[in-house]
Amino acid sequence: MKKILAIFILLSTGISQAQSSIPSNYFKNPLDIDLVLAGYFGELRSNHFHSGFDIKTQQRQGINVIAAGDGYISRINISNYGYGKALYIQHPNGYTTVYGHLKKFSPEIEAYIKKLQYAKESYEIEVFPEAKDLALNQGDLIAYSGNTGGSGGPHLHFEIRDGQQRPMNPALFGIDIKDTQAPIINSLYVYPLGEEAQVNGSAQRQRLKLTPLNDGSFKAEEIDACGEIGFGISTFDRQDGAPNQNGIYKIETKLNGDKVFEIKMDKFSFAETRHINQLIDYEYYSSNNSRITKLYRGSNNPLSIYEEVVNNGTLDIKDSLDYMFNISVADFKGNIKMIRIPIKGKQSHIKNPKNIKKTDYFVQANEAFSTENGPIDVYIPKSSLYEDTYLDIEFKGDTIYLDEDNIPIQNYITIGFDVSKYNAEDQDKMFIAKLNKRGRPTYSSTKKKANRFTTGVRNFGTYTLASDKNAPSIYPVNFKDGQWISSNKDISLKISDDLSGINSFRATVNGKWILMEYEYKNNTITHDFSDDVVTETENILKVIVTDNVGNSKTYEATFFRK
């Protein structure tokens, strides 16, 4: 890897000028294979927009990952979750490229980071090298593709970020993905929004029937409507070479030929990404696990993906007037799918009114809210909810039912428990848990101070106090106690915990710490003998695993190597 420092003089001058226009030929493909996508930029994910391209790696790991441009490694982050093993390259034009879910780094970077991991005695690590440490040229090998972190299969996650670390669509920079197919439209919905609004005599969300036309577009059934209404669409795009249902690039709507609404997936910031829950019909998603993109903008919605919005994208339908509403969904290559929706303004009696829930607990979005009952209290900070909302809250002993998880939460809310009735020994093994639909508890990060436990959550549901008195389990995978394993490239163990979950682990050989890579998807920790820290013939392995309430298990074994 060549170390070129002169190029970084540009980092202190002219970055803003460099980013005034997007360089379409500056970056090259990060893989030396045809680029086929498993995920697109801006794709709708759980509580966030996808921030890059997920590039398929032919269902295997170990493909060479190369630097998309000249620069230096400005950040190395290794995490059990998220991007797993990830590299960040700072480029002299002010942009940053990101490479995630890597299996292994190139030899120079691998040696650099392992030295720091051994010094810190930690697999998880985040460092920020200086320009002189790991400089490189475009096309240099930087890593090998993998499946680490929160990856559902082997692929490379690739991002391009601007000078403010906002993810940008790699297609804008000339990262070319073959796409000859128009987007797919699954379904169309209409929403009566105003107090007196109705569609076909109903004030509730309705799915509209779509009829395919010879030109590839759709015509929706004609609707009778009056008042303020909006539309929502379930759609995806499919690039060439793979069947994956990926995100779309642009949606535009017009009423009688005049543009009303447009969203475009060019750029967003991580600070706004959770507001995706304002873009989608969250209630529908929580019940059906399918996302409807709302083609109108609610109040207090800061998303920057909106290009043009007239009257928040809603339509004010007048009695006795006719309208034609068009929706076009486009990919980056300009392939378009359209829907035409005839609307007849007609005032009708509302036979199916809105379902309005009223309870004893009313939360105003722009004000803080708190309540308590017995040992449990709840605090909802200002701006945690997007809209004024009635909440269904029930207290029962050490359990609180905090409504259904069909209302999105932006900022963390706090649930507190007074545990003074429990002795110190019991408290030591207790934690706050969220109960799933089957009543099984899942650990919720619990802070303990005196006789008070608290947790911060971003999902409504049922929360309770739970206890975990069982230690984690540890089992060897590819060796046995007392075995010669000279031919092994690594040593692997399976670790798990059936309740509060794994918090930490530590492994030593002959009393010396060894690096173990944790793969939570199959509950294994693995040491690679190429680290050259296991040099004796007879070796005593000791592994200690601790769960989230402090229960620990120790495993010891002896193995031999030549």
Side-chain angles (χ1 to χ4, degrees):
M1 186 179 291
K2 297 180 180 179
K3 302 210 170 187
I4 299 175
L5 301 180
I7 58 175
F8 301 115
I9 297 174
L10 295 176
L11 286 174
S12 59
T13 59
I15 287 179
S16 60
Q17 293 180 354
Q19 294 194 350
S20 61
S21 60
I22 298 174
S24 59
N25 297 310
Y26 187 87
F27 297 111
K28 68 180 298 182
N29 294 344
L31 297 173
D32 278 334
I33 58 175
D34 291 337
L35 300 191
V36 178
L37 296 189
Y40 195 74
F41 178 83
E43 195 165 290
L44 308 181
R45 300 285 179 89
S46 179
N47 297 311
H48 70 283
F49 296 103
H50 188 235
S51 54
F53 282 175
D54 280 347
I55 305 173
K56 286 177 173 285
T57 54
Q58 302 171 345
Q59 299 182 336
R60 59 192 175 97
Q61 303 184 47
I63 292 179
N64 290 354
V65 179
I66 60 177
D70 295 345
Y72 72 94
I73 303 295
S74 59
R75 179 183 176 193
I76 305 172
N77 191 33
I78 299 178
S79 172
N80 296 327
Y81 309 100
Y83 290 176
K85 294 184 179 182
L87 292 176
Y88 298 71
I89 298 178
Q90 180 67 56
H91 301 280
N93 61 356
Y95 292 97
T96 302
T97 52
V98 183
Y99 312 76
H101 307 306
L102 304 170
K103 178 180 181 180
K104 193 174 183 178
F105 304 131
S106 66
E108 183 179 357
I109 301 173
E110 190 79 5
Y112 177 93
I113 196 63
K114 279 196 173 182
K115 181 179 180 181
L116 297 175
Q117 286 175 304
Y118 273 94
K120 187 181 178 183
E121 295 192 354
S122 175
Y123 169 66
E124 291 193 292
I125 193 169
E126 182 178 26
V127 297
F128 299 88
E130 297 181 1
K132 62 181 176 58
D133 295 332
L134 296 169
L136 45 82
N137 289 329
Q138 184 181 63
D140 281 348
L141 174 70
I142 58 170
Y144 304 93
S145 66
N147 188 34
T148 56
S151 171
H155 73 278
L156 173 69
H157 175 84
F158 176 70
E159 294 180 21
I160 300 177
R161 299 182 183 180
D162 70 7
Q164 299 179 51
Q165 291 299 299
R166 293 175 297 189
M168 298 185 67
N169 193 331
L172 298 169
F173 296 82
I175 304 299
D176 188 49
I177 306 297
K178 188 176 182 181
D179 186 356
T180 60
Q181 308 172 71
I184 306 296
I185 294 173
N186 287 323
S187 51
L188 174 69
Y189 296 83
V190 61
Y191 295 80
L193 301 174
E195 289 188 9
E196 302 299 326
Q198 56 82 24
V199 175
N200 297 331
S202 173
Q204 297 191 31
R205 176 187 61 220
Q206 298 171 56
R207 181 172 178 172
L208 300 180
K209 181 181 178 181
L210 295 174
T211 301
L213 303 178
N214 292 334
D215 61 1
S217 64
F218 290 95
K219 182 178 180 181
E221 60 181 292
E222 183 178 87
I223 60 173
D224 293 339
C226 198
E228 184 185 22
I229 67 172
F231 287 86
I233 188 172
S234 172
T235 182
F236 66 88
D237 192 32
R238 181 176 283 147
Q239 289 83 31
D240 294 4
N244 298 71
Q245 298 183 11
N246 297 333
I248 55 85
Y249 175 62
K250 183 174 72 171
I251 303 178
E252 178 183 286
T253 71
K254 292 182 178 180
L255 182 65
N256 295 337
D258 295 326
K259 185 180 290 189
V260 175
F261 176 92
E262 182 182 352
I263 56 174
K264 188 184 293 183
M265 296 301 182
D266 282 339
K267 177 172 63 178
F268 63 87
S269 70
F270 287 112
E272 66 180 305
T273 189
R274 191 175 176 88
H275 285 279
I276 186 177
N277 293 325
Q278 295 203 71
L279 176 68
I280 66 171
D281 183 336
Y282 188 86
E283 180 184 17
Y284 184 89
Y285 168 66
S286 66
S287 301
N288 299 277
N289 197 31
S290 176
R291 295 180 180 88
I292 301 171
T293 299
K294 295 190 292 188
L295 306 182
Y296 58 92
R297 185 176 190 171
S299 58
N300 302 316
N301 185 337
L303 286 173
S304 60
I305 61 172
Y306 298 103
E307 293 287 312
E308 293 185 45
V309 179
V310 178
N311 195 33
N312 289 324
T314 65
L315 314 181
D316 186 13
I317 305 301
K318 304 296 185 182
D319 188 26
S320 303
L321 296 179
D322 293 339
Y323 305 83
M324 179 60 71
F325 187 65
N326 291 339
I327 303 171
S328 66
V329 183
D331 59 31
F332 191 81
K333 292 289 189 177
N335 302 301
I336 297 175
K337 187 75 72 172
M338 294 191 65
I339 305 176
R340 298 175 177 84
I341 309 160
I343 305 172
K344 183 176 290 293
K346 183 178 180 181
Q347 182 69 57
S348 301
H349 173 67
I350 299 178
K351 296 173 288 185
N352 191 13
K354 294 181 185 295
N355 293 325
I356 300 176
K357 178 177 74 173
K358 289 191 177 182
T359 71
D360 294 335
Y361 303 96
F362 182 65
V363 182
Q364 295 177 277
N366 62 351
E367 293 184 10
F369 168 88
S370 64
T371 186
E372 61 181 299
N373 186 293
I376 307 174
D377 59 85
V378 178
Y379 176 70
I380 302 178
K382 176 183 177 181
S383 302
S384 294
L385 305 185
Y386 301 129
E387 299 176 350
D388 295 349
T389 307
Y390 282 98
L391 294 180
D392 190 2
I393 304 176
E394 297 177 14
F395 299 88
K396 187 176 181 180
D398 285 334
T399 300
I400 178 174
Y401 168 74
L402 191 55
D403 219 301
E404 294 292 328
D405 185 18
N406 57 17
I407 303 168
I409 300 175
Q410 178 64 23
N411 301 315
Y412 282 98
I413 67 176
T414 301
I415 304 173
F417 290 79
D418 181 346
V419 296
S420 58
K421 66 181 180 181
Y422 297 97
N423 61 44
E425 183 178 352
D426 288 337
Q427 288 184 26
D428 189 50
K429 302 303 179 185
M430 293 172 63
F431 62 96
I432 301 174
K434 185 177 190 293
L435 300 180
N436 65 15
K437 292 182 179 180
R438 296 183 179 180
R440 178 170 174 77
T442 301
Y443 178 80
S444 183
S445 183
T446 304
K447 294 182 179 179
K448 301 180 179 182
K449 186 175 182 180
N451 288 318
R452 178 172 165 79
F453 289 4
T454 60
T455 187
V457 302
R458 277 176 156 180
N459 292 92
F460 287 115
T462 301
Y463 292 85
T464 191
L465 289 177
S467 180
D468 181 2
K469 297 183 179 181
N470 297 322
S473 61
I474 312 173
Y475 300 100
V477 173
N478 62 348
F479 72 100
K480 296 179 181 179
D481 185 22
Q483 185 179 15
W484 281 87
I485 55 173
S486 301
S487 61
N488 281 31
K489 293 182 178 180
D490 56 45
I491 190 169
S492 182
L493 300 97
K494 186 175 288 289
I495 63 174
S496 62
D497 187 81
D498 64 356
L499 191 52
S500 64
I502 300 295
N503 177 268
S504 64
F505 59 88
R506 178 180 174 83
T508 60
V509 169
N510 301 328
K512 184 177 181 180
W513 184 86
I514 61 170
L515 177 65
M516 284 278 192
E517 298 195 1
Y518 179 43
E519 178 49 78
Y520 78 93
K521 295 189 287 293
N522 58 17
N523 297 316
T524 59
I525 54 174
T526 303
H527 172 72
D528 191 333
F529 286 128
S530 67
D531 287 0
D532 292 330
V533 296
V534 178
T535 58
E536 302 295 325
T537 299
E538 182 178 353
N539 300 280
I540 299 173
L541 170 69
K542 183 177 181 179
V543 179
I544 302 173
V545 180
T546 306
D547 66 19
N548 279 304
V549 296
N551 298 306
S552 66
K553 179 72 173 288
T554 300
Y555 172 87
E556 291 190 65
T558 300
F559 64 87
F560 301 88
R561 284 177 62 82
K562 287 184 179 180

